[in-house]
Amino acid sequence: MKSSTALKWVTGGLEAFLAIPILGGSIVIGFGYAPLGIMLILHIVTLLFSIREGQKFHGSVWGIVTSCLAWIFLLGWLLHTITAILLFIDAFSSGKNEREFVS
């Protein structure tokens, strides 16, 4: 499994966790919005690995946007949800392409 694929699964899972109503928002606010900064860094790292490995990077770009705008009530939930879905799709399709080359 490529590094970018693993990072997409991890960041997608974290985004999905932050998209849980009330719980995700409580964690973000409770830690002084630090989780958004951490996610921004993770999405940038994932983007760089994806570009370097020639993989799709749409989810990572959405993640960067999400990290910058998620402090806005309800918009944050929507963006976390969309980003998680896109990252999971990117990770799944990247892993699928890797399996096709191995066969």
Side-chain angles (χ1 to χ4, degrees):
M1 177 183 296
K2 293 186 178 185
S3 300
S4 61
T5 304
L7 284 167
K8 288 174 191 175
W9 283 114
V10 170
T11 54
L14 291 171
E15 287 291 346
F17 181 74
L18 292 175
I20 298 172
I22 300 173
L23 179 62
S26 298
I27 290 170
V28 169
I29 292 169
F31 283 100
Y33 296 93
L36 297 181
I38 293 167
M39 290 304 295
L40 176 64
I41 293 166
L42 285 172
H43 287 303
I44 291 170
V45 169
T46 305
L47 175 67
L48 294 175
F49 272 93
S50 297
I51 291 171
R52 190 181 82 188
E53 295 174 357
Q55 300 293 317
K56 294 180 182 179
F57 53 86
H58 306 93
S60 298
V61 172
W62 270 87
I64 292 168
V65 172
T66 297
S67 297
C68 294
L69 297 176
W71 57 272
I72 301 171
F73 183 68
L74 292 180
L75 179 63
W77 169 79
L78 178 66
L79 289 174
H80 283 304
T81 303
I82 292 169
T83 301
I85 292 168
L86 289 175
L87 283 164
F88 286 144
I89 290 170
D90 282 356
F92 181 75
S93 65
S94 295
K96 183 179 174 186
N97 291 341
E98 292 171 16
R99 287 187 295 272
E100 288 174 1
F101 291 125
V102 173
S103 300

